[in-house]
């Protein structure tokens, strides 16, 4: 039986949601991740330090008994975010701020219109050492949905990076060869997260044979040439790219209707998905860096001092999970077989 032991990983981009969802989503992540960057697009969104602290307390209350899982909190940027909000966030221990162009994804209607208006806020973030996390898509209706990431790079991201060279920027859930190339060529202060769905799937998996709503996410899946570009950068071991699942739970009945809720709930199988991809790429030796080291290094945080072990054992992802209130959710890759399974985690790591 083949095993793989790596440093305990972190998830640098995910959605817990709130209230009744937390009893499902927090344990799912805490089973194998030591830390996670928590997205702030609740209803209402987390727009100030006091809301971030309160949300963190709700997450911590949902941790399994004895868990040392640490949520890392973010602020939701709006056109009313002030320089004082940034100072207060830093004082409260907030890690980063999230930029959503208005209407870009779930619960983002309150987000930013006119990104240049936030430049004074970016300047304050640069001064206080808060990271800028970006959902990098334009939202103008006349721009094709498959082109929106590339247009965002040219229109907004390049000017932000040029104007604030000391601001650490994470280009989140990248989906295109254009985004991968931009990050590779940018300064050391620009990094990117990559999701399991964008490594495992392309737009054929969303559209061929009928629309598959549980594979629908934003940014939307792209053509296979872009998928291959993402696979190539993670297989290369480039330290600018790191794990961020963008795990995003939605009730089954909300995914399977005209709502078109965007998001793949990958938390329960997240590390196994990445192991699947890295093995397919012949790059299992690069998994630990991507999952456990590069993100912590980019955020300026210590690497975890525990390990986790995966075993080569076929198993099937459940068809659905059920919340305490009876709501059903369909996890990513439901009913499909994976070749790696989490066996053990949070064991003391020997000295490097």
């Amino acid at each position: 039986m083949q095993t793989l032991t790596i440093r305990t990983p972190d998830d640098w981009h995910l959605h817990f949601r709130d209230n009744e969802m937390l009893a499902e989503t927090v344990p799912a992540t805490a089973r194998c991740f030591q830390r996670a960057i928590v997205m702030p697009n609740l209803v209402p969104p987390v727009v100030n330090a006091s809301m971030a602290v309160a949300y963190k307390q709700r997450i911590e209350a949902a941790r399994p008994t004895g868990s040392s899982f640490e949520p890392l909190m973010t602020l939701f940027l709006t056109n009313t975010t002030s320089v004082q909000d940034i100072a207060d966030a830093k004082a409260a221990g907030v890690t980063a701020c999230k930029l959503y162009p208005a209407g870009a994804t779930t619960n983002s209607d309150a987000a930013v219109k006119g990104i240049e208006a936030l430049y004074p806020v970016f300047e304050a973030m640069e001064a206080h050492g808060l990271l800028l996390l970006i959902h990098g898509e334009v939202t103008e209706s006349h721009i094709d949905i498959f082109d929106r990431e590339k247009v965002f790079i040219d229109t907004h991201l390049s000017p932000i990076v040029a104007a604030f060279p000391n601001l650490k920027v994470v280009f989140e859930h990248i989906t295109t060869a254009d985004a991968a190339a931009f990050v590779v060529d940018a300064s050391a202060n620009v990094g990117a997260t990559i999701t399991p769905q964008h490594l495992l799937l392309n737009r054929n998996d969303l559209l061929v044979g009928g629309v598959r709503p549980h594979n629908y996410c934003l940014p939307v899946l792209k053509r296979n040439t872009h998928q291959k570009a993402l696979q190539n950068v993670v297989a290369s071991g480039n330290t600018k790219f790191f794990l961020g699942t963008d795990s995003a739970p939605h009730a089954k009945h909300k995914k399977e209707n005209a709502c078109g809720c965007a998001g793949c709930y990958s938390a329960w199988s997240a590390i196994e998905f990445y192991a699947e991809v890295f093995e397919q790429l012949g790059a299992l030796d690069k998994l630990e860096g991507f999952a456990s080291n590069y993100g912590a290094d980019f955020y300026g945080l210590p690497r975890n001092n525990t390990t986790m072990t995966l075993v080569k054992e076929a198993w099937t992802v459940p068809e659905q999970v059920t919340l305490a209130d009876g709501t059903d959710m369909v996890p990513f890759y439901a009913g499909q077989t994976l070749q790696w399974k989490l066996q053990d985690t949070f064991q003391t790591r020997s000295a490097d």
Side-chain angles (χ1 to χ4, degrees):
M1 180 178 292
Q2 187 177 349
T3 62
L4 176 66
T5 298
I6 63 172
R7 187 189 305 273
T8 303
D10 304 297
D11 189 342
W12 298 101
H13 179 139
L14 65 71
H15 301 264
F16 281 137
R17 309 302 187 205
D18 206 353
N19 302 318
E20 73 282 351
M21 280 277 193
L22 296 180
E24 158 66 24
T25 57
V26 175
T29 291
R31 76 183 186 108
C32 70
F33 293 112
Q34 181 63 59
R35 296 169 292 205
I37 287 284
V38 181
M39 292 296 101
N41 56 326
L42 306 181
V43 181
V46 179
V47 296
N48 58 49
S50 61
M51 294 178 76
V53 170
Y55 186 29
K56 182 177 183 178
Q57 290 171 345
R58 297 195 297 276
I59 294 168
E60 290 175 337
R63 290 182 300 193
T65 301
S67 171
S68 60
F69 170 75
E70 180 183 5
L72 303 174
M73 308 311 294
T74 61
L75 285 196
F76 184 105
L77 295 176
T78 74
N79 286 108
T80 63
T81 303
S82 68
V83 169
Q84 187 60 50
D85 289 328
I86 300 305
D88 292 344
K90 178 66 175 180
V94 170
T95 300
C97 298
K98 181 64 182 276
L99 174 63
Y100 293 100
T105 190
T106 303
N107 300 336
S108 65
D109 292 342
V112 173
K113 300 176 179 70
I115 290 174
E116 292 77 8
L118 279 185
Y119 274 29
V121 172
F122 298 159
E123 185 177 14
M125 291 172 59
E126 188 177 45
H128 286 286
L130 290 183
L131 283 78
L132 175 61
L133 317 181
I134 296 181
H135 182 119
E137 293 185 287
V138 296
T139 56
E140 289 87 346
S141 60
H142 67 280
I143 297 176
D144 189 284
I145 192 170
F146 294 105
D147 297 330
R148 292 180 177 184
E149 187 171 88
K150 174 62 166 63
V151 173
F152 186 92
I153 294 169
D154 297 338
T155 306
H156 299 296
L157 186 55
S158 291
I160 290 171
V161 169
F164 303 98
N166 295 317
L167 177 64
K168 282 196 169 183
V169 176
V170 181
F171 195 175
E172 297 202 302
H173 46 45
I174 65 168
T175 66
T176 60
D178 309 282
F182 176 84
V183 174
V184 168
D185 292 340
S187 78
N189 281 334
V190 179
T193 56
I194 304 182
T195 74
Q197 61 265 27
H198 291 108
L199 290 170
L200 285 165
L201 307 179
N202 59 63
R203 65 189 186 182
N204 282 356
D205 299 293
L206 174 64
L207 299 171
V208 172
V211 176
R212 302 176 191 179
H214 298 287
N215 288 345
Y216 174 57
C217 57
L218 289 172
V220 72
L221 297 170
K222 303 299 195 295
R223 64 170 67 244
N224 62 352
T225 53
H226 292 295
Q227 176 193 15
K228 184 61 178 174
L230 301 186
Q231 291 174 343
N232 287 342
V233 294
V234 300
S236 76
N238 189 307
T239 62
K240 289 186 167 191
F241 301 90
F242 39 91
L243 186 156
T245 63
D246 194 21
S247 180
H250 291 282
K252 179 180 179 181
H253 69 275
K254 291 184 177 180
K255 288 285 286 182
E256 297 178 0
N257 70 11
C259 159
C261 291
C264 300
Y265 182 50
S266 58
W268 273 114
S269 314
I271 195 62
E272 291 93 338
F273 289 134
Y274 287 109
E276 192 93 356
V277 172
F278 277 76
E279 183 177 46
Q280 291 172 5
L281 297 174
L284 270 176
D285 61 316
K286 302 297 196 304
L287 176 61
E288 181 176 48
F290 175 84
S292 312
N293 297 342
Y294 305 154
D297 296 346
F298 188 84
Y299 272 77
L301 296 172
R303 296 179 179 182
N304 296 321
N305 61 3
T306 55
T307 65
M308 61 172 297
T309 298
L310 294 158
V311 61
K312 190 71 178 292
E313 177 184 326
W315 65 288
T316 301
V317 179
E319 294 284 353
Q320 65 184 34
V321 295
T322 303
L323 303 182
D325 66 357
T327 300
D328 291 329
M329 296 195 303
V330 177
F332 181 56
Y333 249 50
Q336 298 188 58
T337 300
L338 296 176
Q339 301 302 316
W340 288 93
K341 187 173 185 180
L342 181 62
Q343 181 185 62
D344 198 12
T345 192
F346 303 113
Q347 300 301 308
T348 300
R349 183 182 178 95
S350 59
D352 293 328

